[in-house]
Amino acid sequence: MALVAVVDGVVGASVGLLPLVSLGPAFAGLVGTWVRTAVIGALAVAVVCALGVVDGLFSERRGFAAIGAVVGVTVAGVIAAVTRQRREAELANVRSIAEVAQRVLLRPVPRSAGHLRAAVSYTSAVAEARIGGDLYEVVASPAGVRVIIGDVQGKGLEAVETAAVVLGAFREAAYDEKTLEGVGERVQRAADRTVSGEKFVTALMAEISPENGTTLLNFGHPPPMVVSPDGSVVFPEPPAYALPLGLGIPRSEPPVPFEVSFQPGDQLLLYTDGVTEARDPAGTFYPLGQRAWLLSEADPQSALEALRADLILHTRGPLHDDAAMLLLRYREPAEPAEGGAHRADADDTDITSDAPDASGPAAAEDPRDDGPRQTTP
């Protein structure tokens, strides 16, 4: 408005710049409150009146037309500002409710569970969301530490609902069932009852016991990565992959559990395919095996954050799929154990999260073949 007033004072009334004063309340309605818009509109009317008197425009219709234009734009700007503020308030309420729902679904993973230390990283592909279709949980049960990581086919609210069903069934079964096979059957039945359409869930379950070793149960999920102290990397494959959860197809044989070597000093990384299927601009998959040396940090959460940062750097942009990672290490003998079952405090737990844009091309090859199994820092 000040610029219009200066230009009008220089060039005179012949150019007819007074209606441009209405740009002030117009822009104020886009970004400011309705009160601010009304105040700027009042100032704009005052500027038009002053310039109209100086230019002698009130002796004809031009001056009144300019005032009418400014008043009309101001009223429209106030209405737009009120509508925008209401929508912003509604969106803030929805986000706060979603935040509570997300915390209920994906509870913070404890830094230590039983004889293990744990760290988790979750990057949602849905803009401004902390969770999507990936799921994880760590439960300290009488049989040992039981873990699940999974990936729901699809995105959006349906994927979140499916993840809630699977997590709820796992959290209950992990305490009650004596064997990992029993846990898998309970989760499988729950998923088959509730998952509809073409949805399904790939999942990897693990039971880690100091006495009985480490047992895995794979429902069509990418194999975990075991990193030895010398830097060697192994991706243990199951003897036979079971069908994903939720297909509702009768299974002739139950899933076959299998043991893997996971000893003190080793690291066990469970992840979803959003990690290994992340591509750079040239279409190259993320070489997870070659990046295992990034997990050399003493703190598990710091190590996982370094791996996550490298993943984002590899894609040079937003991820096209949700990416969850769960890192497990044996707790040092001097470290105190957390008593009881699954307990976590948000102040003692770090969960990294980001929210790039969603959806991208699916992988057509095994991304773990991009690099050697043996890596060194």
Side-chain angles (χ1 to χ4, degrees):
M1 293 189 299
L3 179 62
V4 173
V6 171
V7 174
D8 183 82
V10 173
V11 301
S14 59
V15 180
L17 296 178
L18 284 188
L20 294 180
V21 176
S22 62
L23 292 176
F27 284 113
L30 295 177
V31 297
T33 65
W34 72 268
V35 175
R36 180 181 179 184
T37 304
V39 170
I40 293 178
L43 291 176
V45 172
V47 170
V48 170
C49 291
L51 292 178
V53 171
V54 172
D55 295 337
L57 297 180
F58 289 110
S59 60
E60 52 186 279
R61 296 180 179 178
R62 290 175 56 189
F64 297 101
I67 293 177
V70 173
V71 172
V73 172
T74 300
V75 172
V78 169
I79 295 174
V82 170
T83 303
R84 176 177 50 79
Q85 285 181 278
R86 288 178 179 175
R87 291 180 177 176
E88 289 176 351
E90 292 176 358
L91 181 59
N93 290 335
V94 170
R95 285 178 177 171
S96 63
I97 295 172
E99 177 75 11
V100 174
Q102 289 168 350
R103 287 187 175 275
V104 171
L105 178 59
L106 289 182
R107 298 181 301 195
V109 168
R111 284 187 176 272
S112 61
H115 59 292
L116 298 178
R117 301 176 67 193
V120 66
S121 169
Y122 192 103
T123 304
S124 175
V126 179
E128 299 186 7
R130 291 187 59 190
I131 63 171
D134 289 359
L135 56 97
Y136 55 81
E137 184 61 289
V138 177
V139 174
S141 72
V145 178
R146 286 173 170 170
V147 180
I148 185 173
I149 191 166
D151 185 2
V152 180
Q153 185 269 333
K155 295 180 177 66
L157 291 178
E158 290 186 2
V160 175
E161 292 173 358
T162 302
V165 170
V166 173
L167 280 175
F170 175 80
R171 286 165 179 163
E172 182 179 358
Y175 290 107
D176 299 339
E177 296 295 332
K178 295 182 179 180
T179 64
L180 187 62
E181 300 95 296
V183 177
E185 291 176 0
R186 289 266 295 273
V187 176
Q188 179 180 309
R189 288 197 299 268
D192 289 343
R193 285 195 306 266
T194 56
V195 179
S196 60
E198 299 180 353
K199 299 290 183 183
F200 60 87
V201 184
T202 65
L204 177 65
M205 302 181 192
E207 180 180 283
I208 307 167
S209 169
E211 297 81 16
N212 302 320
T214 301
T215 303
L216 301 182
L217 198 58
N218 196 315
F219 294 88
H221 197 78
M225 180 175 72
V226 181
V227 184
S228 300
D230 62 358
S232 60
V233 176
V234 177
F235 292 89
E237 301 274 355
Y241 278 93
L243 292 175
L245 303 169
L247 291 177
I249 300 175
R251 306 167 192 254
S252 57
E253 296 182 359
V256 179
F258 62 102
E259 295 185 358
V260 298
S261 176
F262 176 47
Q263 305 297 329
D266 295 343
Q267 299 186 80
L268 180 63
L269 179 69
L270 288 72
Y271 55 91
T272 59
D273 59 7
V275 176
T276 51
E277 292 180 1
R279 306 185 189 215
D280 63 11
T284 304
F285 289 111
Y286 183 68
L288 181 61
Q290 295 182 17
R291 300 296 196 270
W293 62 271
L294 292 169
L295 298 175
S296 58
E297 291 279 349
D299 177 59
Q301 192 65 51
S302 299
L304 201 56
E305 175 59 25
L307 185 62
R308 175 180 176 270
D310 185 73
L311 175 66
I312 300 297
L313 183 63
H314 175 81
T315 60
R316 299 179 186 176
L319 297 180
H320 298 301
D321 195 8
D322 299 334
M325 294 182 287
L326 181 62
L327 180 64
L328 299 175
R329 294 177 180 176
Y330 276 86
R331 187 165 39 82
E332 299 295 333
E335 296 181 10
E338 286 190 4
H342 183 162
R343 298 189 313 197
D345 189 317
D347 294 336
D348 297 331
T349 309
D350 296 329
I351 298 181
T352 57
S353 174
D354 196 4
D357 295 349
S359 126
E365 53 197 304
D366 189 351
R368 297 187 309 278
D369 293 336
D370 287 351
R373 305 292 191 188
Q374 182 81 18
T375 62
T376 54

